[in-house]
Amino acid sequence: MIPKVFREVIDLGDGREISIETGKLAKQAHGSVVVQSGKCMLLCTVVSNYKQADVDFLPLTVDYREKFAAAGRYPGGFFKREARPSDGEVLTMRLVDRVLRPLFPKDYHSETQVMIQLMSHDDDVMPDAMAGLAASAAIQLSDFPFECPISEARVGRVNGEFVINPTRAQLAESDIDMMIGASADSVMMVEGEMDEISEEEMTEAIKFAHEAIKVQCEAQVKLAEAFGKKEVREYEPEREDADLAKKIHDMAYDKVYAVARAASAKHERSAAFNEIKEEIKASFTEEEQEDFGGLISKYYSKAEKAAVRDLTLNEGLRLDGRKTDEIRPIWCEVDYLPSTHGSSIFTRGETQALATVTLGTSREANQIDMPSYEGEERFYLHYNFPPFSTGEARPIRGTSRREVGHGNLAQRALKGMVPEDCPYTVRVVSEILESNGSSSMATVCAGTMAMMDAGVQLKKPVSGIAMGLISDADSGKYAVLSDILGDEDHLGDMDFKVTGTADGITACQMDIKVKGLSYEILVNALKQAREGRLHILGKITETIETPNTDVKDHAPTMVSRRIPNEFIGALIGPGGKVIQEMQKETETTIVINEDPVTEEGIVEILGVGSKGIDAVMAKIDALLFKPTVGSVYEVKVIKMLDFGAVVEYTEAPGNEVLLHVSELAWERTENVSDVVNMGDVFDVKYFGIDSRTRKEKVSRKALLPKPEGYVARPPRDDKRSGGRDNNRGRDNRGRDNRRDDRKPREDK
């Protein structure tokens, strides 16, 4: 039986459409949709267990995978099967998770899985921009308790005009690349990179994307109604006790407020809060503690959050005693590590990042091999967050999604300031050594200084700051917090990270937890962030004002050289013999690429010190050397022959030419050694290609005076009688003149 298919179409306004379809695939999932734009198709399925898990959080897993078959390709590597997710896939998972998670009830703890798969790829459609739409649409068709439909959209700006879900080609020309996640009523998530735009321009881009998202949310509602909206499932809610909540609030609030107001350090403050919590728990009998379970801890956390928020809203003070717009003390240092190509330390309060820079050739570029995109990165940043940075001991099980996300944010913040003509592949690694608030922004600052220390000629230095927001809808009060602590991260209504130069924003990441945040508050928050960002930028430039003019003595110098396409093979040599010997002799690394436009060879020479690089450049010069007709060149004899000497141009070693015996001297020369010997250096004149021999001709005698009475030998007459072309009386019959009836020789 042919299944009944339900479909809604979203008009993007420029001839493009997005369709949402259900009823054909994956019907045993609790909700499934196929989202399509052009030839790009995403299948999203959602499943949630009916039994609550024995945890105090939502065990939500968002999984996004791109199938290589979707692009008609095989997976790379030895095993021809998709394996662990790529960084690009992980970043898409994070984007979707951050918007979905807050919309589930806080007491819903059933294991929930959202799986999004790229099943068909279109070069003109970027699939990650539709992943949030697919996830939300599938949930709308399920019976999950979920607050409202959401969607995500990418916004770019090409030639001053905003574009929703631009193509990759359009994105290459855009000065904005932002992903916005929102419901019909509220913006919830923003992440992206920009080309030094203003706070007002960023806000306008968010507004533009939100209008498109409203249309996508409406389409989900229509699809769910047509399909048949399911009743929301019943689940066992968390136990609540209003009397207990009030009792604990009354016991904890004033004490927590006093500790928060005391402006103590992180560990001291944590110990004081823990002491209050244990004191409250001790006031209950063992039977009461067992009966109330985790309610005591839950209600204490609520009381602590309320006290800290009230301190900030009422007195403008924060946990460490700072005012709302005050930045923690900063100290910086560069050139800390003696053997790296560049290094720096950035410490802000109790957050510390140690960054290193490594310079390499295009061979060290980061290769990206995804079904939706193939390419390479000549600048990339890796972020590591070891457990000791927060005073914890826990197992390390590979790179976490958080590390991928934070590293990507810092990379996007900095990459626009790396010059396009930077000859190096640049790798920045940030090691977080201490963490109490925004280690990703510390990474941006440390990365800036480390690259400047390494001699990377950044266009402008970049700094970053993490901001928070505490608001009270009833009173209308709100406070924007600059340079938030780790404790302030989770108790606020918004946390956002902004990076930029003195002239504008280069990247941002924003999570908004409060509904209906006004754009006025958002703009004010962004402007306060700019003031903090400039303050931090001042500390960076006090430490290192401009990039070092040269790389360090132990760091490699990179020189690039273009050569005509026809010389690439000669430089490589048979089986790579020439280039390998050259690298060994000069102690350099040589990489040859072909310009896809001009088809020229781009030779990258990487070496420590100038001696080896100069030697390679000399060999290339010799390879490319072309003598000019009529010019005089110094040569050296490198081989003696019976009919002349092989000479080498001294300004182009390895470039050889035959000096014929007849061009040695005006007098008749019986033996070449009578005139020149091995190693002799003298001048010759270049005559170009000889019309008779079709070979290059040089002459020594042309630079010598003619002897007195010299008589030139008459030229040979090739047409004289008895020449090679004469028949000389022979029978001129060729083999083809044999008689056709000649019998073949009989075998004996």
Side-chain angles (χ1 to χ4, degrees):
M1 184 179 73
I2 299 175
K4 184 176 181 180
V5 176
F6 300 86
R7 193 166 184 265
E8 282 292 326
V9 176
I10 301 163
D11 185 0
L12 293 179
D14 57 359
R16 295 176 299 147
E17 295 179 340
I18 300 176
S19 68
I20 317 172
E21 180 182 285
T22 190
K24 186 179 288 186
L25 303 181
K27 293 191 292 296
Q28 291 193 46
H30 295 163
S32 70
V33 295
V34 173
V35 174
Q36 181 172 357
S37 181
K39 294 185 290 185
C40 177
M41 299 174 68
L42 293 175
L43 169 65
C44 179
T45 57
V46 295
V47 174
S48 185
N49 293 342
Y50 283 93
K51 184 179 179 181
Q52 290 270 66
D54 188 21
V55 294
D56 61 354
F57 61 91
L58 173 64
L60 170 66
T61 302
V62 176
D63 195 81
Y64 171 81
R65 300 298 177 101
E66 296 187 354
K67 306 298 183 180
F68 277 87
R73 294 178 51 212
Y74 284 91
F78 184 78
F79 295 103
K80 300 303 178 186
R81 185 186 182 104
E82 288 85 356
R84 65 177 297 276
S86 66
D87 284 0
E89 289 167 318
V90 168
L91 294 170
T92 302
M93 297 176 198
R94 283 173 53 85
L95 286 173
V96 177
D97 186 295
R98 284 161 50 199
V99 184
L100 295 184
R101 191 175 292 273
L103 297 179
F104 285 92
K106 294 188 181 300
D107 60 352
Y108 186 68
H109 300 156
S110 294
E111 186 167 353
T112 304
Q113 189 173 50
V114 178
M115 294 190 66
I116 311 164
Q117 304 177 62
L118 175 67
M119 307 303 289
S120 177
H121 174 56
D122 186 331
D123 288 335
D124 292 328
V125 180
M126 298 182 70
D128 59 342
M130 302 191 299
L133 169 62
S136 177
I139 292 174
Q140 295 310 303
L141 302 176
S142 74
D143 61 350
F144 301 174
F146 193 75
E147 188 173 320
C148 61
I150 61 93
S151 190
E152 293 179 345
R154 172 177 274 111
V155 61
R157 187 171 64 176
V158 181
N159 298 325
E161 297 292 329
F162 289 122
V163 182
I164 286 294
N165 292 357
T167 65
R168 198 174 292 279
Q170 288 176 314
L171 206 58
E173 300 175 8
S174 175
D175 62 350
I176 295 175
D177 177 8
M178 289 171 58
M179 288 284 286
I180 289 87
S183 66
D185 299 324
S186 301
V187 174
M188 306 166 66
M189 185 277 299
V190 178
E191 181 162 324
E193 61 186 87
M194 308 87 181
D195 186 11
E196 296 183 281
I197 67 171
S198 68
E199 289 73 15
E200 289 79 7
E201 288 175 305
M202 178 175 164
T203 305
E204 288 302 314
I206 295 172
K207 287 181 181 179
F208 181 79
H210 193 195
E211 292 304 314
I213 287 172
K214 290 177 182 178
V215 177
Q216 297 179 14
C217 291
E218 184 181 353
Q220 296 175 53
V221 173
K222 290 180 179 178
L223 181 69
E225 290 174 349
F227 179 74
K229 183 68 175 175
K230 298 178 182 178
E231 289 291 327
V232 177
R233 68 172 63 176
E234 294 183 0
Y235 65 95
E236 185 178 349
E238 288 183 349
R239 179 185 173 190
E240 296 290 347
D241 189 321
D243 292 337
L244 179 65
K246 184 178 185 308
K247 179 180 179 180
I248 293 177
H249 181 275
D250 293 342
M251 295 173 67
Y253 184 88
D254 290 340
K255 294 179 180 179
V256 170
Y257 197 97
V259 171
R261 202 173 188 279
S264 51
K266 176 183 176 181
H267 292 294
E268 181 184 345
R269 182 171 62 249
S270 297
F273 284 156
N274 191 60
E275 187 177 335
I276 296 171
K277 181 178 178 180
E278 291 301 318
E279 185 181 315
I280 290 172
K281 288 176 69 175
S283 68
F284 292 91
T285 64
E286 290 185 7
E287 292 78 9
E288 287 175 324
Q289 290 186 37
E290 186 175 342
D291 179 45
F292 291 135
L295 288 179
I296 297 174
S297 295
K298 175 183 174 180
Y299 293 145
Y300 169 77
S301 295
K302 285 187 174 182
E304 181 183 302
K305 182 176 180 178
V308 174
R309 286 171 61 92
D310 287 349
L311 173 68
T312 302
L313 288 174
N314 296 336
E315 302 187 43
L317 294 177
R318 300 162 64 180
L319 287 169
D320 56 358
R322 285 181 292 149
K323 296 178 182 178
T324 56
D325 61 351
E326 193 175 344
I327 312 298
R328 287 174 289 178
I330 295 171
W331 68 266
C332 312
E333 183 178 338
V334 296
D335 198 21
Y336 177 72
L337 300 173
S339 296
T340 62
H341 298 164
S343 64
S344 73
I345 303 171
F346 179 84
T347 307
R348 184 193 60 244
E350 296 168 299
T351 297
Q352 185 177 76
L354 171 64
T356 59
V357 170
T358 308
L359 306 175
T361 67
S362 59
R363 189 180 295 164
E364 282 72 50
N366 185 35
Q367 301 298 321
I368 301 173
D369 184 21
M370 296 175 62
S372 62
Y373 178 66
E374 293 179 87
E376 65 177 28
E377 294 173 331
R378 292 291 299 268
F379 165 71
Y380 50 99
L381 186 150
H382 293 149
Y383 164 101
N384 296 316
F385 190 83
F388 67 77
S389 64
T390 54
E392 298 175 279
R394 53 180 167 78
I396 299 173
R397 306 192 188 282
T399 306
S400 69
R401 292 187 179 188
R402 180 183 182 277
E403 288 172 307
V404 172
H406 280 40
N408 179 257
L409 175 61
Q411 178 175 321
R412 299 178 85 177
L414 293 169
K415 75 176 185 180
M417 292 301 111
V418 178
E420 294 179 3
D421 60 354
C422 177
Y424 298 99
T425 290
V426 181
R427 181 187 184 226
V428 177
V429 179
S430 173
E431 303 289 346
I432 303 304
L433 307 182
E434 295 180 51
S435 180
N436 183 16
S438 191
S439 54
S440 63
M441 296 298 94
T443 293
V444 172
C445 300
T448 291
M449 292 189 295
M451 283 196 285
M452 292 169 75
D453 178 53
V456 177
Q457 301 303 304
L458 289 184
K459 299 174 187 176
K460 300 171 188 175
V462 181
S463 66
I465 188 170
M467 307 290 292
L469 173 73
I470 297 175
S471 63
D472 184 0
D474 295 332
S475 66
K477 292 181 180 179
Y478 74 90
V480 179
L481 310 181
S482 298
D483 181 23
I484 58 174
L485 302 170
D487 290 339
E488 292 172 330
D489 193 358
H490 71 273
L491 61 82
D493 298 319
M494 175 174 71
D495 62 82
F496 63 104
K497 304 174 181 70
V498 187
T499 72
T501 67
D503 298 319
I505 299 171
T506 60
C508 75
Q509 184 182 90
M510 192 178 301
D511 290 295
I512 302 168
K513 308 165 191 174
V514 63
K515 295 180 184 178
L517 179 70
S518 72
Y519 284 105
E520 180 185 355
I521 294 177
L522 180 59
V523 171
N524 289 340
L526 287 170
K527 287 183 176 179
Q528 184 172 318
R530 183 176 187 275
E531 294 171 3
R533 201 176 72 235
L534 294 178
H535 170 79
I536 297 170
L537 197 59
K539 297 294 183 182
I540 289 174
T541 53
E542 284 177 13
T543 305
I544 179 167
E545 187 173 0
T546 58
N548 291 332
T549 54
D550 296 310
V551 299
K552 299 184 185 300
D553 291 339
H554 60 274
T557 299
M558 168 80 82
V559 175
S560 293
R561 178 75 179 273
R562 286 179 174 264
I563 63 174
N565 180 277
E566 61 267 23
F567 289 98
I568 296 176
L571 183 58
I572 295 173
K577 181 180 179 182
V578 173
I579 195 170
Q580 289 172 8
E581 289 181 353
M582 200 183 303
Q583 290 181 112
K584 186 177 180 180
E585 291 172 5
T586 61
E587 296 183 345
T588 60
T589 299
I590 305 171
V591 178
I592 304 175
N593 297 309
E594 188 174 310
D595 190 309
V597 179
T598 64
E599 295 187 350
E600 290 179 299
I602 303 173
V603 185
E604 298 176 358
I605 309 160
L606 191 80
V608 178
S610 60
K611 184 178 179 181
I613 294 175
D614 290 344
V616 175
M617 293 293 282
K619 288 181 180 292
I620 294 175
D621 287 337
L623 180 68
L624 301 180
F625 176 75
K626 290 183 178 180
T628 305
V629 174
S631 297
V632 176
Y633 298 96
E634 184 180 76
V635 296
K636 179 181 180 181
V637 178
I638 59 172
K639 187 183 293 185
M640 300 287 287
L641 302 171
D642 292 339
F643 50 87
V646 177
V647 295
E648 176 184 71
Y649 295 99
T650 57
E651 64 181 273
N655 209 312
E656 306 168 359
V657 66
L658 174 67
L659 174 59
H660 195 267
V661 64
S662 63
E663 298 297 332
L664 286 171
W666 291 105
E667 299 84 358
R668 180 178 180 82
T669 304
E670 296 294 339
N671 296 308
V672 175
S673 57
D674 293 342
V675 180
V676 296
N677 290 290
M678 281 288 291
D680 285 356
V681 177
F682 48 84
D683 290 340
V684 296
K685 186 174 182 179
Y686 181 74
F687 286 93
I689 304 298
D690 188 286
S691 60
R692 187 171 61 85
T693 64
R694 302 296 180 190
K695 294 181 179 180
E696 289 184 299
K697 178 181 177 181
V698 293
S699 175
R700 176 177 177 271
K701 75 178 185 181
L703 301 177
L704 302 174
K706 292 182 182 180
E708 285 188 34
Y710 174 79
V711 178
R713 296 173 59 187
R716 184 174 64 182
D717 183 6
D718 289 336
K719 294 182 180 180
R720 65 187 183 274
S721 176
R724 288 183 178 275
D725 293 335
N726 194 29
N727 290 335
R728 297 183 183 179
R730 293 185 180 180
D731 185 350
N732 204 30
R733 288 182 302 169
R735 296 182 61 86
D736 291 338
N737 291 331
R738 291 179 298 182
R739 289 180 57 182
D740 294 337
D741 59 351
R742 182 176 177 180
K743 296 180 180 179
R745 188 171 63 180
E746 297 180 359
D747 294 333
K748 294 182 179 181

